[in-house]
C-alpha cells in the first residue's frame, strides 16, 4: 500500500544504485561505489573527533587516528568495517562502545501536525550560545567543547548547531548537533548524523528533546538527504523511546572508542554500590576512578566510600573527608560559634542574638532596631527551621517555635538584603561561586500554581537523583499568598513566581554560576573564613548586593558542600587533588 502524500511534503525514495557503505560492516565496497568520497575523514567537534570508518581503506589508519586523541577529549569511530577486527588490533587500547545505532530514513519521516508548546528551536547565532550549550553539556555530565571551535564549525554548512529556547523565559534549555556527511566527505549514501542531544532536565518544557530532533530532521529533509543516524547508550530507555516514537530503527553500525579515563565506566566494571550513590558522592567516585583510585562504597545511602591508592586510604562522605577535623566540623555545626570565629577574622557578619527559651527580649530589641529578621536553629542544615522576613512579635514567636523543632538553641539575625551567594573553597582556594535562588515556577496560562509546583518539583527531583524537591506545605502557600496569588490560581503565561523564601537547593532552589564575575574581595573573605575555621573543604555563604562588588555579609559555613551543583567548575577534581595530590593533573 502506497504511503499517503502530504501537502507541501516531497516524497524522498532511496535512489537506485546508491551504495550501501554503512549497512554491512563486513563488506568492502568497490572503487566505483566510493567514487567522489574523500578518504580518511576525521572531523573535530570540539569535545572530541568523529572518525568516519567507511572512509578508511585500512583499519590500521583508523587505529592511528584514534591514537591521536587529545587528553580530556572523547573521540568516536563509527561505521568502521569489521569493528571487532579493529579492536583486535589493539585490545588494550580500544573497545566497542555499549551503545546502539538508530537510523531514521528521511523518506519515511512525517512532521508533527502541531508545534510543541512552549519550545522554540533555532540555529545558534553567537559565541554566547555555544557557551550556553557547554553549560547544558556540563549539567548532563557530558564532555564540553571549546566554544571557539564550535563557532568555527557552525560557520560551515557541514555542521548544524541547534538550541531550544523556553518561550516563557527565553533561556536556552536544550541543544543538538547535526553533521551533514555529504558536505563533510561527499557521502555517496547521502547520510547525516545527530550528536549530543541534551536538555536541561530541571527547566526544559516537556517535548524539548522531540522538538530538537524534529527540527534537525526537517533541515536534512530540505537538503534531500537520505537518513539521520545517531548513537545512544543501550540503557538510556527515555531517549530510545523518543527515537522509536519518531520512526528511528536499529542499524547495524557500532562505535569504537579508546580506553581513556573519560570512557572508563563504559569498558571497566563499576565497583559495587557506585551506581546507588547520590549525585554529590557519585561525582567524586567518578573523578577518583578516572585517576585509577580504588573506590569502595561503604554506605551508599549515606554517600560514604573509601578511596585507596597504593598504601593510602581516605574515608569520605560526599565532600566531607577525614581531612576535616572534628573541631572544624563543630565550628561549622554551631552557627553562633561560626559567627564569632569568622568575625574575629575580619569578615563582616549580620547583627544577631541568641534567643533564650524564657526571654524573647534580646530578639525583640533586635527586631525593633533592624525592622526585619531571619530566625534559624543554631544547628541544622538544608534550610530546615529557617524563617525569613520576620517583622512582628507574633511572627517572631512562631518563627522561634518552628526553629526549636530542629534545635533548642535559636539564633535571630538582621535580614540583610542581597543575593544568596555560595563560594566553594577547597584547600583554601576559591574553586567555584554561584548565586542560589529560591524555587520558582513559570506560568503557562493553563495550569494552577499547585500543578506548576508539582511539575517543577518532579523535574528537579529527576535531575538531582531525588536530592531537590519543592515542598507543597504551608511555607509555600504563605509565599504564594504574599505575592498576591492562591495555590489554585492559574498563573499567566510567562510570569515567574517565587514559591519559597530561602534559596536552599534541597527545597527546589536553583543555582547560577558566577565564578568568573566574583569580586576578588569576596573571594579573599571566603578564604579568610575557611582558614579561620580551619576547614579544608567548605561552602561559604554570603549575602551580597552585587557579586561583582566587594560588599558581602557572611551567613554560614557548610562543612559538606554539594560539589555536583557547581559543574562544570572542577570542584570534584580539586577535592581529589586535595586527597591524593600525586594524581593531580600537571599543566
Amino acid at each position: 500500500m502506497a504511503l499517503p502524500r502530504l501537502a507541501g511534503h516531497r516524497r524522498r525514495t532511496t535512489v537506485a544504485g546508491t551504495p550501501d557503505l554503512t549497512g554491512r560492516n563486513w563488506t568492502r565496497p568497490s572503487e566505483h561505489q566510493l567514487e567522489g568520497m574523500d578518504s580518511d575523514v576525521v572531523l573535530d567537534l570540539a569535545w572530541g573527533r568523529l572518525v568516519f570508518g567507511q572512509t578508511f581503506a585500512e583499519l590500521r589508519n583508523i587505529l592511528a587516528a584514534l591514537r591521536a586523541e587529545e587528553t580530556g577529549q572523547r573521540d568516536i569511530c563509527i561505521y568502521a568495517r569489521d569493528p571487532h577486527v579493529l579492536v583486535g588490533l589493539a585490545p588494550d587500547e580500544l573497545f566497542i562502545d555499549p551503545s546502539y545505532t538508530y537510523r531514521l530514513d528521511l523518506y519515511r519521516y512525517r512532521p508533527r501536525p502541531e508545534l510543541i508548546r512552549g519550545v522554540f528551536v533555532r540555529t545558534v547565532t553567537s559565541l554566547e550560545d555555544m557557551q550556553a550549550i557547554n553549560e547544558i553539556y556540563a549539567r548532563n555530565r557530558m564532555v564540553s567543547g571549546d566554544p571557539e571551535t564550535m563557532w568555527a564549525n557552525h560557520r560551515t554548512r557541514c555542521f548544524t548547531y541547534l538550541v531550544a529556547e523556553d518561550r516563557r523565559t527565553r533561556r536556552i534549555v536544550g541543544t543538538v548537533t547535526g553533521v551533514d556527511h555529504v558536505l563533510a566527505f561527499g557521502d555517496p549514501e547521502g547520510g547525516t548524523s545527530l550528536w549530543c542531544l541534551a536538555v536541561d532536565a530541571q527547566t526544559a518544557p516537556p517535548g524539548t528533546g522531540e522538538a530538537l530532533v524534529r527540527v534537525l530532521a526537517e533541515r536534512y529533509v530540505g537538503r534531500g538527504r537520505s537518513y539521520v543516524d545517531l548513537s545512544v547508550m543501550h540503557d538510556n530507555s527515555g531517549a530510545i523511546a523518543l527515537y522509536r516514537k519518531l520512526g528511528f530503527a536499529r542499524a547495524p553500525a557500532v562505535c569504537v572508542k579508546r580506553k581513556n579515563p573519560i570512557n572508563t565506566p563504559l569498558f571497566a566494571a563499576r565497583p559495587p554500590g557506585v551506581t546507588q550513590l547520590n549525585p554529590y558522592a557519585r561525582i567524586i567516585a567518578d573523578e577518583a576512578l578516572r585517576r585509577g583510585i580504588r573506590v569502595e562504597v561503604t554506605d551508599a545511602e549515606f554517600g560514604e566510600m573509601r578511596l585507596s591508592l597504593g598504601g593510602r586510604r581516605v574515608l569520605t562522605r560526599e565532600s566531607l573527608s577525614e581531612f576535616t577535623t572534628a573541631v572544624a566540623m563543630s565550628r561549622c555545626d554551631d552557627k553562633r560559634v561560626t559567627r564569632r570565629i569568622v568575625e574575629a577574622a575580619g569578615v563582616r557578619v549580620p547583627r544577631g542574638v541568641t534567643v533564650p527559651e524564657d526571654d524573647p527580649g534580646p530578639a525583640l530589641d533586635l527586631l525593633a532596631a533592624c525592622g526585619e529578621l531571619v530566625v534559624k536553629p543554631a544547628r541544622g542544615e538544608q534550610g530546615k527551621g529557617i524563617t525569613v522576613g520576620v517583622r512582628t512579635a507574633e511572627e517572631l514567636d512562631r518563627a522561634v517555635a518552628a526553629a526549636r523543632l530542629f534545635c533548642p538553641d535559636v539564633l535571630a539575625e538582621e535580614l540583610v538584603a542581597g543575593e544568596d551567594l555560595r563560594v566553594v573553597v577547597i584547600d583554601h582556594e576559591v574553586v567555584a561561586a554561584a548565586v542560589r535562588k529560591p524555587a520558582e515556577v513559570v506560568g503557562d496560562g493553563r495550569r494552577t500554581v499547585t500543578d506548576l509546583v508539582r511539575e517543577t518539583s518532579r523535574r528537579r527531583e529527576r535531575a538531582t537523583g531525588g536530592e531537590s524537591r519543592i515542598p507543597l506545605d504551608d511555607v509555600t502557600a504563605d509565599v504564594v499568598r504574599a505575592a498576591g496569588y492562591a495555590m489554585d490560581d492559574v498563573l499567566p503565561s510567562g510570569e515567574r513566581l517565587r514559591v519559597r523564601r530561602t534559596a536552599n537547593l534541597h527545597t527546589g532552589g536553583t543555582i547560577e554560576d558566577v565564578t568568573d564575575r566574583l569580586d576578588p574581595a569576596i573571594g579573599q573573605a571566603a578564604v579568610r573564613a575557611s582558614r579561620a575555621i580551619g576547614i579544608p573543604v567548605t561552602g561559604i555563604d554570603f549575602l551580597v548586593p552585587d557579586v561583582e562588588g566587594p560588599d558581602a555579609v557572611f551567613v554560614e559555613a557548610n562543612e559538606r558542600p554539594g560539589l555536583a551543583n557547581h559543574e562544570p567548575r572542577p570542584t570534584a577534581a580539586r577535592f581529589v587533588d586535595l586527597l591524593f595530590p600525586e594524581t593531580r593533573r600537571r599543566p
Side-chain angles (χ1 to χ4, degrees):
M1 176 179 173
L3 292 172
R5 189 184 295 270
L6 300 182
H9 190 72
R10 290 183 300 152
R11 178 179 297 171
R12 295 160 303 286
T13 57
T14 304
V15 178
T18 297
D20 183 4
L21 306 182
T22 59
R24 297 186 180 91
N25 59 33
W26 60 88
T27 60
R28 182 178 292 273
S30 67
E31 290 187 12
H32 173 72
Q33 289 177 310
L34 299 177
E35 184 177 356
M37 186 173 75
D38 297 340
S39 60
D40 296 1
V41 176
V42 179
L43 298 183
D44 186 0
L45 269 75
W47 44 260
R49 301 173 308 153
L50 291 180
V51 179
F52 288 93
Q54 75 271 46
T55 68
F56 285 75
E58 299 295 333
L59 292 180
R60 291 195 177 275
N61 291 343
I62 297 179
L63 176 58
L66 290 173
R67 282 174 170 167
E69 179 184 67
E70 295 286 340
T71 301
Q73 302 231 310
R74 173 181 278 169
D75 289 356
I76 302 174
C77 174
I78 190 169
Y79 309 124
R81 283 186 288 276
D82 298 321
H84 57 299
V85 177
L86 172 61
V87 171
L89 294 176
D92 57 332
E93 297 180 61
L94 305 181
F95 69 100
I96 293 178
D97 190 51
S99 60
Y100 297 141
T101 300
Y102 274 80
R103 172 169 294 182
L104 173 64
D105 290 313
L106 290 176
Y107 76 91
R108 295 179 181 275
Y109 174 75
R110 292 295 178 264
R112 183 183 169 109
E114 73 282 345
L115 291 175
I116 294 174
R117 187 188 297 270
V119 182
F120 173 64
V121 177
R122 62 173 175 82
T123 306
V124 299
T125 57
S126 66
L127 187 61
E128 288 71 23
D129 283 350
M130 295 301 185
Q131 292 164 343
I133 288 174
N134 266 337
E135 291 174 6
I136 292 174
Y137 288 168
R139 293 188 199 112
N140 286 275
R141 299 194 178 184
M142 299 162 62
V143 181
S144 57
D146 174 50
E148 296 284 355
T149 301
M150 295 161 67
W151 181 244
N153 287 344
H154 166 66
R155 300 182 73 173
T156 72
R157 293 186 71 235
C158 173
F159 299 89
T160 299
Y161 290 90
L162 301 178
V163 292
E165 284 185 357
D166 186 332
R167 289 185 182 273
R168 303 166 302 178
T169 64
R170 295 301 177 190
R171 291 186 60 185
I172 292 176
V173 293
T175 180
V176 72
T177 302
V179 177
D180 188 325
H181 300 177
V182 176
L183 297 180
F185 52 86
D187 182 15
E189 284 188 336
T192 66
S193 53
L194 177 157
W195 302 92
C196 300
L197 176 66
V199 301
D200 186 335
Q202 293 197 40
T203 60
T208 298
E210 179 180 347
L212 285 161
V213 175
R214 283 189 177 279
V215 171
L216 184 66
E218 288 162 13
R219 295 281 178 94
Y220 289 140
V221 166
R223 293 186 187 182
R225 300 299 181 245
S226 298
Y227 61 77
V228 177
D229 277 1
L230 58 85
S231 177
V232 58
M233 290 305 298
H234 70 96
D235 56 356
N236 191 346
S237 57
I240 290 172
L242 168 63
Y243 298 139
R244 286 176 172 167
K245 169 187 173 183
L246 296 179
F248 284 83
R250 285 282 299 276
V254 299
C255 294
V256 176
K257 297 177 181 176
R258 284 192 70 222
K259 291 181 177 179
N260 61 27
I262 295 173
N263 291 328
T264 299
L266 302 179
F267 64 83
R270 307 291 280 163
V274 166
T275 56
Q276 281 74 53
L277 292 171
N278 66 38
Y280 305 111
R282 178 72 176 272
I283 188 177
I284 295 165
D286 288 344
E287 180 65 27
L289 291 169
R290 276 195 288 268
R291 301 187 188 200
I293 297 170
R294 182 170 178 264
V295 175
E296 177 190 358
V297 178
T298 53
D299 190 328
E301 186 176 352
F302 199 52
E304 183 185 282
M305 53 194 172
R306 183 175 289 106
L307 308 181
S308 308
L309 184 67
R312 292 184 58 241
R313 301 200 295 179
V314 180
L315 193 65
T316 67
R317 184 199 170 198
E318 299 172 5
S319 61
L320 181 65
S321 76
E322 296 173 3
F323 286 28
T324 297
T325 67
V327 171
M329 273 196 66
S330 66
R331 288 172 170 176
C332 291
D333 178 58
D334 193 322
K335 296 175 177 62
R336 297 165 300 180
V337 176
T338 318
R339 283 170 50 89
R340 290 198 299 268
I341 293 173
V342 169
E343 187 175 23
V347 178
R348 182 187 167 194
V349 300
R351 288 179 289 176
V353 296
T354 299
V355 185
E357 281 197 46
D358 56 352
D359 184 11
L364 289 171
D365 292 343
L366 183 65
L367 178 61
C370 300
E372 202 165 0
L373 300 181
V374 177
V375 177
K376 62 180 76 172
R379 292 184 175 90
E381 58 181 8
Q382 300 182 359
K384 295 175 181 176
I386 297 178
T387 304
V388 179
V390 174
R391 294 175 179 156
T392 67
E394 292 75 14
E395 290 178 353
L396 178 61
D397 288 340
R398 290 198 299 270
V400 170
R404 287 212 166 97
L405 293 174
F406 298 93
C407 177
D409 302 314
V410 175
L411 182 64
E413 293 179 335
E414 66 171 317
L415 178 61
V416 178
E419 294 190 285
D420 187 323
L421 174 70
R422 162 67 62 88
V423 182
V424 176
V425 181
I426 300 177
D427 202 13
H428 307 304
E429 291 184 2
V430 173
V431 178
V435 169
R436 303 186 300 173
K437 298 182 178 180
E440 65 177 17
V441 296
V442 181
D444 59 8
R446 296 179 297 112
R447 285 175 292 182
T448 66
V449 174
T450 297
D451 291 338
L452 292 171
V453 169
R454 284 178 176 149
E455 182 202 8
T456 305
S457 183
R458 282 195 296 268
R459 290 205 300 264
R460 295 273 197 279
E461 201 167 351
R462 284 195 301 267
T464 62
E467 293 293 316
S468 177
R469 60 175 64 87
I470 307 173
L472 269 173
D473 57 13
D474 291 342
V475 174
T476 298
D478 288 345
V479 174
V480 170
R481 191 179 304 111
Y485 289 97
M487 297 297 292
D488 293 333
D489 288 346
V490 173
L491 197 61
S493 180
E495 182 161 341
R496 308 175 77 99
L497 175 66
R498 283 192 174 182
V499 295
R500 301 293 292 186
R501 292 193 182 94
T502 61
N504 193 279
L505 297 178
H506 287 85
T507 55
T510 57
I511 191 165
E512 175 190 355
D513 182 78
V514 295
T515 308
D516 293 334
R517 296 163 46 204
L518 188 69
D519 188 279
I522 299 178
Q524 292 163 9
V527 171
R528 282 203 308 275
S530 74
R531 289 189 181 279
I533 297 168
I535 190 165
V537 179
T538 182
I540 304 294
D541 293 342
F542 294 102
L543 287 170
V544 298
D546 182 1
V547 297
E548 298 183 43
D551 297 331
V553 177
F554 173 86
V555 177
E556 64 181 36
N558 192 312
E559 75 279 2
R560 187 168 47 91
L563 302 185
N565 295 325
H566 297 273
E567 292 181 290
R569 298 297 170 181
T571 50
R574 296 292 83 79
F575 179 68
V576 179
D577 287 348
L578 172 72
L579 304 185
F580 298 94
E582 64 272 31
T583 68
R584 186 191 303 263
R585 182 182 297 168
R586 303 298 177 186

